[in-house]
Amino acid sequence: MKLELGNFHVKDVRFGDTTHYAEGILTINKEEAIAHVMEDEHITHADIFIARPGEEKRIVPVKEAMEPRCRVNGKAVFPGVTGEVASCGDGRTHALKNTSVLAVGKHWGSFGDGLIDMSGEGANYSYFSTLINICLVADTDEEFERHEQQKKNKALRWGAMRLSEYLGNAVKDMEPETMETYELEPVSKKADDVAKLPSVVYVMQPQSQMEELGYNDLVYGWDANRMLPTFMHPNEILDGAMISGSFMPCSSKWSTYDFMNNPTIKELYANHGKTVNFLGVIMSNLNVALEQKERAALFVSNMAKHLGADGAILAEEGYGNPDADFIACYAALEDAGVKVVGMTNECTGRDGQSQPLVTLDEKANAIVSCGNVSQLIELPPMKEVIGELAALGRDGLSGGWAGDEKLGPSVREDGSIIMENNSMFCGDQVSGWSKKTMKEF
């Protein structure tokens, strides 16, 4: 499998008469772009705003993010979702780098939505403050979930994917400015010098806890709650096979953008044949019942063992109940002789004094912490809000609240906010972006 990612490095995004890309500038015909979004009859209103790094802008409630791309062969960027089910990870895909398309609620937020600040202290908490964000701000007629704390957000998520493909097509027939090539030989056909290196597999646990379909991450359009652990080529993840869901406190979330640009996969590629023999990705799942958790851990450990893995990087999307899956998988891998490094965040309470994970095991002795979801964050007002700031405290965003006896409301009258890290959009960046560190006192 050989994936070529042709990159176009965007310096700015503007509105104009036609949608095109030239000399680092992406120009968008807003009316035409919105027409693609409005193809869904459930979307009642849509607009597009631009948020650049350093601008005094706050974006909330953010539901999803993806990179604008097109597949040169004309097939869907997100197979099984925006087009027919078809293998991906092979061939050429063009990408508009330094940008993302954000799905943002015009009014109503939910448990899995978050906040992005484009400047100030808040910008340090989310990777997306470093990108030029093309914000699709929209509302829908989905009354059945308008006031629900947990929303599927399907119309807005799918609308953002259509917008992403529309923008990506601006560079479909152009020659890329730079090219990334990802090629990984089959497990059984490694060169001798590569096969002698420590063999490593990347185990991903995307969110799949909801038994009702429509909330979970998708694999080629298939709800991850329905799947058992599966071996995948890393190129598939980088090339649109994985779509983010809408169920997860937001700092723990892996957006579709995170799947498409997964830093851990890229780092393993960079070291393949040098310090490690990168075998590929085991795409696992997160479950509710204990028996399901144990079964998934068994599948993962057996798969890793038979692939010949010496080591594994294990990452979970979430915290709380998923910690049991994380630790069960960790212990099963260690019992199979596979040395594990775990990547996750913690829920240690606002004071940082609580147990970091719901369950622990002595075998889990090498874990990279990506932050505390309950950490309190206070931020000053921003000049402009894209979306609706009231959603943070009103609509059950996992890190916000309408009122607190000691702290008051999350959204204050002057526009300043206090909230838990939980509400930072993909803030803990367990996929590998995180720049957080630990301090000793």
Side-chain angles (χ1 to χ4, degrees), residues 199 301-302 304-306 308-312 329-340 363:
S199 297
S301 61
N302 282 345
K305 182 177 180 179
H306 293 305
D310 300 307
C329 193
Y330 202 124
L333 284 164
E334 288 280 343
D335 287 342
V338 181
K339 296 298 182 184
V340 183
K363 299 182 183 74

Side-chain angles (χ1 to χ4, degrees), residues 75 96 222 275 347 438:
K75 294 183 179 180
L96 290 164
W222 186 255
T275 59
C347 184
M438 303 293 289

Side-chain angles (χ1 to χ4, degrees), residues 270-282:
N271 285 278
H272 177 63
K274 299 174 183 176
T275 59
V276 299
N277 172 14
F278 181 27
L279 298 175
V281 176
I282 297 176

